Amino acid sequence: MTQSPAVRVTGRSGPVRVGEPAARTLVTEFARRNDPKAGLLVGATPTSAVLAAAIEALLPGDTLTVVPTPATAPADLREHVTAQGRWVADRVRVVDSLAEADPAEVVIAAEPLTGTVEEARATIDGLTKYLADGAVLSLAAPVAPGRTGGAAAELERQGALHGVGTDLVLRNSPPVRVYRLRFTPAGAALAARLAPAHRPSSVPLTRNMHIDSNGVAAAGITLGLAALARVVRPKSKLWLLPALAAAPVAAFFRDPQRDVPEDPSAVVASADGQVLSVQRLHDERFGDGEWLRVAVFLSVLDVHVNRSPVAGKVVDYFVADGGFVNAMKPAAEHNVAAYTVLETEHGTVVVAQRTGLIARRIVQRAPVGALLARGERFGLIRFGSRTDVYLPADAADPLVGPGDKVVGGATVIARWR
């Protein structure tokens, strides 16, 4: 009988616990699909936060097959599922072993991998047999030293080969890194049926306002400098400078929730800011034909989290060298820039994240092969910068002009014909 291949580690500090934030991250690929889909959850217990998150993500037409841990009686798990009500019980099937499961669009290991490299590889090989074409395998491993015997290294290797997303979840005991692996390609059309993915890199402050993890780190550094200055020079007020800077630094990395238009013909702004230009041009780097480029300038007061303007599949990513001219000037077109190339149902779309006079750091979190929903966060640029969206000129009509203010993920900047 084939049991759950995922294992749990126990030591002086107890088992690896998967809390609600990590559970939500593990089931992201299942939760974001709006079309009827089949999920497979391996290694669950009645009290598993991952099971609770998967049940919460169920939509009409979905099915979820659950495999208990070796230490869990299937009858206990079935009783727990039945207690959730008829709606859940009709969609969730508990099987005695993995061998009874069918292939699924999303396969989730409920317990972190903590064994050796060989054990982790065997676990992954065992679970890939239950992946449908284009399906995603979601797994986690602890990142705390001494909590894994090599599984984390194997997941890192698998992520480099097959990864379509990874997230570090610090709000867990111990922290874990979640990997999403895809071993067979998925079509770009699937992206149109996805909702924006849950991102633990954004730390919630309120229901509608988050702070990107970069902001948490930057604020932590400034507060650390303030504490150090207070210790080194206790009679000086110098410590107030970094202490007072912590709040505005964190605010720069604010990440508000946005209502993404549901219109499938809409192309949304990739960033907050002011439209600098809307022009037609040729750029052989992205292929033949004419492009419609909408350039948006981001001041230091704008939200700097970047969002995908369309639903599509990341098929290429490259960085072009250049200078650091003021992003409002035309010469900024030749600044250092990161280009994310998306395959869509309407043709190729490119998002350029350009540095500016102050901005020197581009963050891009969508690897090649990842599927992005329209309005989904995929990166950010630190401090003043510019974001350009390239659309096939013969397939889209612009709806904004120079001087217009746009809101990333919400303002419709163009419409597919």
mmCIF file of all heavy atoms in Angstrom, residues 65 86 227 230 257 274 290 331 365 374 402:
data_model
loop_
_atom_site.group_PDB
_atom_site.id
_atom_site.type_symbol
_atom_site.label_atom_id
_atom_site.label_comp_id
_atom_site.label_asym_id
_atom_site.label_seq_id
_atom_site.Cartn_x
_atom_site.Cartn_y
_atom_site.Cartn_z
ATOM 1 N N THR A 65 -9.100 15.192 -3.621
ATOM 2 C CA THR A 65 -8.791 13.879 -3.067
ATOM 3 C C THR A 65 -7.749 14.059 -1.971
ATOM 4 O O THR A 65 -6.740 14.744 -2.172
ATOM 5 C CB THR A 65 -8.247 12.941 -4.152
ATOM 6 O OG1 THR A 65 -9.222 12.811 -5.193
ATOM 7 C CG2 THR A 65 -7.956 11.560 -3.574
ATOM 8 N N ARG A 86 -22.534 18.872 3.989
ATOM 9 C CA ARG A 86 -22.777 18.132 2.753
ATOM 10 C C ARG A 86 -22.028 18.737 1.569
ATOM 11 O O ARG A 86 -21.512 18.010 0.711
ATOM 12 C CB ARG A 86 -24.293 18.114 2.480
ATOM 13 C CG ARG A 86 -24.701 17.387 1.199
ATOM 14 C CD ARG A 86 -24.421 15.904 1.305
ATOM 15 N NE ARG A 86 -24.836 15.217 0.093
ATOM 16 C CZ ARG A 86 -26.069 14.737 -0.104
ATOM 17 N NH1 ARG A 86 -26.999 14.895 0.839
ATOM 18 N NH2 ARG A 86 -26.367 14.105 -1.213
ATOM 19 N N ALA A 227 18.824 51.754 16.969
ATOM 20 C CA ALA A 227 19.193 51.095 18.224
ATOM 21 C C ALA A 227 20.703 51.126 18.429
ATOM 22 O O ALA A 227 21.192 51.356 19.554
ATOM 23 C CB ALA A 227 18.683 49.652 18.219
ATOM 24 N N ARG A 230 21.801 54.551 19.442
ATOM 25 C CA ARG A 230 21.416 54.835 20.836
ATOM 26 C C ARG A 230 22.403 54.206 21.813
ATOM 27 O O ARG A 230 22.705 54.776 22.874
ATOM 28 C CB ARG A 230 20.001 54.281 21.086
ATOM 29 C CG ARG A 230 19.416 54.662 22.439
ATOM 30 C CD ARG A 230 19.081 56.141 22.493
ATOM 31 N NE ARG A 230 18.617 56.537 23.803
ATOM 32 C CZ ARG A 230 17.339 56.491 24.204
ATOM 33 N NH1 ARG A 230 16.410 56.067 23.338
ATOM 34 N NH2 ARG A 230 16.994 56.887 25.396
ATOM 35 N N GLN A 257 -4.357 46.482 -1.848
ATOM 36 C CA GLN A 257 -5.192 45.576 -2.625
ATOM 37 C C GLN A 257 -5.861 46.374 -3.743
ATOM 38 O O GLN A 257 -6.221 47.527 -3.563
ATOM 39 C CB GLN A 257 -6.257 44.940 -1.741
ATOM 40 C CG GLN A 257 -5.696 43.986 -0.679
ATOM 41 C CD GLN A 257 -5.148 42.723 -1.286
ATOM 42 O OE1 GLN A 257 -3.973 42.645 -1.637
ATOM 43 N NE2 GLN A 257 -5.996 41.718 -1.422
ATOM 44 N N GLN A 274 2.331 58.368 -13.631
ATOM 45 C CA GLN A 274 1.882 59.278 -14.669
ATOM 46 C C GLN A 274 2.354 58.789 -16.028
ATOM 47 O O GLN A 274 3.526 58.435 -16.199
ATOM 48 C CB GLN A 274 2.419 60.682 -14.413
ATOM 49 C CG GLN A 274 1.983 61.720 -15.435
ATOM 50 C CD GLN A 274 2.542 63.096 -15.119
ATOM 51 O OE1 GLN A 274 3.132 63.309 -14.076
ATOM 52 N NE2 GLN A 274 2.356 64.036 -16.036
ATOM 53 N N GLU A 290 5.008 46.101 -35.445
ATOM 54 C CA GLU A 290 4.979 47.364 -34.723
ATOM 55 C C GLU A 290 4.411 47.149 -33.325
ATOM 56 O O GLU A 290 3.508 46.337 -33.123
ATOM 57 C CB GLU A 290 4.123 48.374 -35.482
ATOM 58 C CG GLU A 290 4.298 49.811 -35.011
ATOM 59 C CD GLU A 290 3.540 50.779 -35.901
ATOM 60 O OE1 GLU A 290 2.543 50.363 -36.507
ATOM 61 O OE2 GLU A 290 3.955 51.953 -35.985
ATOM 62 N N ALA A 331 15.808 59.958 -22.442
ATOM 63 C CA ALA A 331 17.021 59.136 -22.432
ATOM 64 C C ALA A 331 16.916 57.960 -21.468
ATOM 65 O O ALA A 331 17.717 57.025 -21.538
ATOM 66 C CB ALA A 331 18.228 59.996 -22.061
ATOM 67 N N ARG A 365 9.817 38.500 -9.682
ATOM 68 C CA ARG A 365 9.542 37.258 -8.955
ATOM 69 C C ARG A 365 8.835 36.210 -9.805
ATOM 70 O O ARG A 365 8.379 35.206 -9.267
ATOM 71 C CB ARG A 365 8.687 37.571 -7.720
ATOM 72 C CG ARG A 365 9.411 38.426 -6.681
ATOM 73 C CD ARG A 365 8.481 38.874 -5.591
ATOM 74 N NE ARG A 365 9.177 39.543 -4.509
ATOM 75 C CZ ARG A 365 8.696 40.586 -3.840
ATOM 76 N NH1 ARG A 365 7.501 41.075 -4.142
ATOM 77 N NH2 ARG A 365 9.390 41.142 -2.864
ATOM 78 N N ARG A 374 -4.124 38.602 -14.906
ATOM 79 C CA ARG A 374 -4.150 40.047 -15.107
ATOM 80 C C ARG A 374 -4.215 40.740 -13.751
ATOM 81 O O ARG A 374 -5.025 40.417 -12.906
ATOM 82 C CB ARG A 374 -5.362 40.439 -15.964
ATOM 83 C CG ARG A 374 -5.415 41.922 -16.271
ATOM 84 C CD ARG A 374 -6.501 42.305 -17.260
ATOM 85 N NE ARG A 374 -7.820 41.875 -16.803
ATOM 86 C CZ ARG A 374 -8.512 40.899 -17.366
ATOM 87 N NH1 ARG A 374 -8.002 40.232 -18.389
ATOM 88 N NH2 ARG A 374 -9.698 40.569 -16.907
ATOM 89 N N PRO A 402 -0.506 60.936 -22.621
ATOM 90 C CA PRO A 402 0.503 61.582 -21.777
ATOM 91 C C PRO A 402 -0.131 62.506 -20.745
ATOM 92 O O PRO A 402 -1.047 63.271 -21.056
ATOM 93 C CB PRO A 402 1.351 62.366 -22.788
ATOM 94 C CG PRO A 402 1.194 61.606 -24.065
ATOM 95 C CD PRO A 402 -0.219 61.100 -24.060
#
